[in-house]
Amino acid sequence: MTLTLTAVAPAPAHRRHVGPAAAVVGRNLLVLRHEWTTLAFGVLEPVLYLLSIGVGVGRMIGTVPGLDRQVAYATYVGPALMAMAAMNGTLNATAQSVFMRLRFGNTYRIMLATPLRPVDVARGEIGTAVLRGTIEGGGFLAVMAVFGVVHSPWALLDVPGALLVGFAFAGIGLVTATYLRDWPDFQLLELVLLPMFLFATTFYPLSVYPGPVQALVRCLPLYHSINILREPALGQVGTNLIAPTVYLAAVGLAGFWLAVRRLDARLSD
C-alpha cells in the first residue's frame, strides 16, 4: 500500500496579511462590481439637480452672497449637491445594504462563524460606505469641473472632505440599520433626510432664517458637510474648516461606537 502525501501550498502573502475589516470591504466590493449602476445613479441624481436648479433656476437668480463675495448660483449650489451625493452614497451602502443583510440574510452570522467580530464587521461596512461616498462625491466634483462650476484649486480639498462626510453618514447609517424593523421604516428615514436636504443651506444662505432656526440648522450634519465642501470650492481655506471637521469626525466616531454595540446585541440573539 502506497501513501501519497499532498502538499498544501500556503496562502499568498497578500492574502495572509489582509485584516478582518479589509476582508469585509473586499467581499462588499465583489458584490458592488455587479451593481456599478448604483454608483452611476449616485452621481446622476445631483447632476440633474445641478442642471435644473443650479443652472436653470440660477439663470433667473443670478448671484447670491458667498462667503465673502457674490457668486454664481450654480457655484453656490454645486458643493452642497456634492455633499448630498456623498451622503446618499454612504447611506445606501449602510442603512439599506446592512439592513438587508441583517433582516433577510445570514451574511453576518456566517461572518461571525469565522474569527471576525462585530467590530470588524462595523469597520468593514463603514470602510465600504466611505469608499463609495468618496467615489460618488469625487465623481460629481469632476462633473462640476466639466460644467465650469469649479473656480478655485482649493476645490481639490473636497475629495478628502467627501471622505469625512462619508465617514459621518456611514456611522449614522450603520446605527440606523440596526433599528429598522421593515421596509416601511425607510419612510421615516426619508422624513428626516428630505427636510435636512432642503433646509441645510443647500439652496440658500443661513442668513435667510430667523435666529432660532439658524441654531437648529447648525446642528444638522448635512449643514457641516456642505460647509466643509463649499468653503474650499469658493477658495476659503483656514480655521473656518476646523468646526465642521471636528463635528463630522465626532459624529462618525459616535456612530461607529454605537453601531458596534447594536450589532453585537442583534447578532447575539
Side-chain angles (χ1 to χ4, degrees), residues 139-217:
F140 183 71
L141 178 63
V143 172
M144 288 169 55
V146 170
F147 280 100
V149 177
V150 178
H151 302 290
S152 171
W154 287 113
L156 291 174
L157 291 178
D158 282 0
V159 176
L163 187 151
L164 187 57
V165 172
F167 175 64
F169 280 100
I172 293 172
L174 193 57
V175 172
T176 301
T178 65
Y179 284 99
L180 296 173
R181 299 161 299 178
D182 212 332
W183 290 113
D185 289 349
F186 278 92
Q187 298 299 320
L188 299 176
L189 181 60
E190 289 296 326
L191 190 62
V192 174
L193 293 179
L194 183 58
M196 183 169 63
F197 167 62
L198 294 175
F199 297 107
T201 70
T202 308
F203 301 110
Y204 31 79
L206 185 65
S207 58
V208 303
Y209 298 118
V213 178
Q214 289 186 24
L216 178 62
V217 170

Side-chain angles (χ1 to χ4, degrees), residues 43-217:
V43 176
L44 179 61
E45 181 183 3
V47 168
L48 294 177
Y49 275 110
L50 181 64
L51 292 175
S52 62
I53 297 177
V55 178
V57 178
R59 290 183 177 179
M60 296 184 289
I61 295 177
T63 61
V64 294
L67 300 175
D68 60 351
R69 65 187 187 282
Q70 294 290 116
V71 297
Y73 189 62
T75 301
Y76 180 84
V77 171
L81 297 178
M82 180 180 174
M84 183 193 77
M87 176 187 74
N88 287 344
T90 52
L91 288 178
N92 287 335
T94 50
Q96 186 173 16
S97 298
V98 173
F99 168 74
M100 290 181 63
R101 293 169 194 146
L102 279 172
R103 181 71 172 78
F104 299 105
N106 291 320
T107 306
Y108 294 139
R109 295 190 186 278
I110 294 172
M111 288 181 179
L112 294 181
T114 71
L116 289 176
R117 302 165 297 163
V119 65
D120 301 319
V121 173
R123 287 172 179 166
E125 293 294 355
I126 286 181
T128 304
V130 168
L131 180 60
R132 178 171 170 178
T134 305
I135 290 173
E136 294 188 11
F140 183 71
L141 178 63
V143 172
M144 288 169 55
V146 170
F147 280 100
V149 177
V150 178
H151 302 290
S152 171
W154 287 113
L156 291 174
L157 291 178
D158 282 0
V159 176
L163 187 151
L164 187 57
V165 172
F167 175 64
F169 280 100
I172 293 172
L174 193 57
V175 172
T176 301
T178 65
Y179 284 99
L180 296 173
R181 299 161 299 178
D182 212 332
W183 290 113
D185 289 349
F186 278 92
Q187 298 299 320
L188 299 176
L189 181 60
E190 289 296 326
L191 190 62
V192 174
L193 293 179
L194 183 58
M196 183 169 63
F197 167 62
L198 294 175
F199 297 107
T201 70
T202 308
F203 301 110
Y204 31 79
L206 185 65
S207 58
V208 303
Y209 298 118
V213 178
Q214 289 186 24
L216 178 62
V217 170

